[in-house]
Amino acid sequence: MRIKKVLASVMAACLSVQLLSACGKEETRISDKIHVGVTYYNQSDTFLNQLLDSFREQLKALDQEDLETTVTIRDAAGSQRTQNDQVKELIDAGCNVLCVNLVDRADPSEIIDLARENDVPIIFFNREPVAEDLLQWERLYYVGAHAEQSGVMQGELAAEAVLSDETTDRNGDGKIQYVVLEGEAGHQDAIIRTENAVDTLKNSGVELEKLSYQIANWNRAQAQNRMEQLIGQYQDQIELVLANNDDMALGAIDAYKKTDYTESSLPLFLGIDGTDVGLQAVLSSEMWGTVYNDEEGQAEAMAKLAVAVISGEGMEDLSFENEKYIYLPYSRITRDNVEDFL
Ligand code: BGC
Ligand code: CA
């Protein structure tokens, strides 16, 4: 008798679970319209423009019979206030998931409040909010890469170049005179990349002498300008240029091109990103190497996550750290393997 009762209740429980999941399925179908609203800090950023081009493609690729996707992209033009307004506007226009590349990564509260009030999840990307902010609400995520890893890899590439070719030490004093072109102050990728690149070089046994650090805000023209000043100041003493991204490495190369440099007076240039222009510079040997900041992988993770947070399907295919973070690995690029990335 008791056994029968237990069996009956187990069967009832199974049935209701089945019913529930069937309902759940119905419900996801209905909301399988993914309207993504994107806002990013500045439309002049080479890396982000490439990342967002990939994102559009990746999202399109997920478009299927019962899944409709749209994307609207806004440029915050360097103003956090503008970005806050854009978020409001995107939500009002019916976006049901947001991808936000913060202008000020320390100031996401207003955006988070707006999203929470309207129950619109946010995928932050590339400019990482501080950990406490991501804990403000459970529907907040981040997609990016570990800055430290890119710095280490840049240092490894530089060490390899220096140790394999003694002419890099042009004045033969046993030390490598270097300058750093740094990204925006306060960006998670700027200082961490520099520190790790320099430490890795030192740990590889390369004697270093720092000539100067200059901030050029990820920007090619600013980097050219800073580099022109540095060339004026240090003449042919600079043996190595470590740039926090490809655009700044290219700006430095532009500066040398404006002087009547000889091939043998050029320093070694290293970037990070592997943007199209960066890869071309590695291919033509103008830049010794770069570190691939996997824009395609990041774009793919963002697209899949956007679909998953709305449809409830596919979360298990994504690899999270601490449940909210997706970090894509970097890779080293030199003349030897650049073709694999083109
Ligand atoms: C990239 C830079 C880019 C910056 C923007 C960095 O991860 O390496 O090229 O300008 O993000 O936030
Ligand atoms: Ca030297």
Side-chain angles (χ1 to χ4, degrees):
M1 193 57 196
R2 272 194 64 190
I3 291 179
K4 262 193 188 162
K5 252 192 186 163
V6 170
L7 262 179
S9 60
V10 166
M11 275 168 72
C14 284
L15 199 71
S16 61
V17 166
Q18 268 176 355
L19 277 176
L20 260 179
S21 59
C23 288
K25 194 108 202 152
E26 244 347 275
E27 230 174 54
T28 57
R29 281 272 157 68
I30 294 164
S31 62
D32 280 355
K33 286 194 189 340
I34 319 287
H35 297 303
V36 190
V38 180
T39 158
Y40 70 128
Y41 88 106
N42 202 317
Q43 67 169 1
S44 68
D45 192 280
T46 309
F47 171 76
L48 284 169
N49 284 333
Q50 269 189 229
L51 186 149
L52 290 176
D53 283 346
S54 291
F55 179 67
R56 272 204 198 88
E57 281 168 28
Q58 301 276 0
L59 203 64
K60 192 89 218 134
L62 295 174
D63 226 308
Q64 301 154 1
E65 221 178 291
D66 54 356
L67 182 78
E68 181 195 315
T69 66
T70 65
V71 55
T72 310
I73 300 183
R74 294 280 176 266
D75 162 28
S79 156
Q80 189 56 59
R81 184 173 287 189
T82 302
Q83 187 163 61
N84 297 349
D85 293 344
Q86 288 172 340
V87 164
K88 186 161 189 316
E89 186 200 309
L90 288 165
I91 293 175
D92 290 346
C95 291
N96 55 0
V97 50
L98 294 169
C99 291
V100 177
N101 174 250
L102 287 164
V103 175
D104 180 352
R105 69 187 191 94
D107 190 16
S109 289
E110 198 171 320
I111 288 178
I112 293 174
D113 289 347
L114 276 167
R116 187 173 24 199
E117 279 158 26
N118 293 278
D119 198 26
V120 175
I122 307 182
I123 301 166
F124 291 102
F125 65 101
N126 169 264
R127 299 162 75 90
E128 187 171 342
V130 292
E132 296 79 63
D133 282 329
L134 225 63
L135 292 173
Q136 284 193 44
W137 184 36
E138 73 269 13
R139 304 192 80 188
L140 303 176
Y141 300 89
Y142 178 72
V143 174
H146 284 300
E148 189 187 316
Q149 187 187 33
S150 54
V152 168
M153 288 185 172
Q154 188 182 55
E156 288 168 352
L157 289 173
E160 222 171 82
V162 170
L163 298 171
S164 68
D165 179 3
E166 57 185 21
T167 66
T168 315
D169 176 16
R170 279 202 319 272
N171 63 358
D173 67 349
K175 291 184 242 166
I176 298 298
Q177 279 71 27
Y178 74 101
V179 301
V180 178
L181 291 171
E182 222 157 48
E184 286 164 283
H187 191 300
Q188 84 276 348
D189 289 339
I191 297 163
I192 298 179
R193 282 180 179 167
T194 306
E195 279 175 0
N196 283 281
V198 170
D199 287 350
T200 304
L201 265 162
K202 284 186 186 153
N203 295 339
S204 314
V206 176
E207 286 271 351
L208 291 174
E209 184 187 344
K210 177 177 82 188
L211 298 178
S212 186
Y213 277 68
Q214 294 289 324
I215 292 178
N217 297 311
W218 309 117
N219 182 280
R220 183 166 180 162
Q222 281 185 40
Q224 176 180 340
N225 183 284
R226 300 284 178 280
M227 199 68 215
E228 282 168 8
Q229 290 167 13
L230 292 172
I231 296 171
Q233 195 173 348
Y234 297 104
Q235 314 277 318
D236 60 359
Q237 285 178 57
I238 305 166
E239 296 171 339
L240 169 66
V241 177
L242 295 173
N244 282 169
N245 76 346
D246 284 355
D247 261 20
M248 294 189 292
L250 292 166
I253 296 171
D254 294 339
Y256 276 92
K257 286 185 176 163
K258 273 184 69 182
T259 68
D260 39 0
Y261 69 95
T262 56
E263 212 50 52
S264 64
S265 67
L266 279 181
L268 208 65
F269 300 95
L270 283 126
I272 291 176
D273 276 344
T275 54
D276 293 344
V277 272
L279 295 175
Q280 285 304 326
V282 175
L283 190 66
S284 65
S285 301
E286 284 188 307
M287 188 155 83
W288 167 267
T290 186
V291 178
Y292 189 57
N293 191 356
D294 187 357
E295 40 103 349
E296 280 179 24
Q298 291 167 41
E300 186 185 353
M302 286 163 62
K304 288 191 168 157
L305 182 54
V307 172
V309 288
I310 299 304
S311 71
E313 282 166 28
M315 268 307 192
E316 64 288 349
D317 301 336
L318 296 161
S319 38
F320 288 100
E321 274 180 40
N322 295 327
E323 288 159 32
K324 289 169 164 275
Y325 294 84
I326 300 177
Y327 292 108
L328 275 291
Y330 284 97
S331 346
R332 279 171 290 255
I333 304 179
T334 60
R335 186 73 191 66
D336 293 339
N337 67 343
V338 66
E339 263 109 359
D340 303 344
F341 293 84
L342 282 165

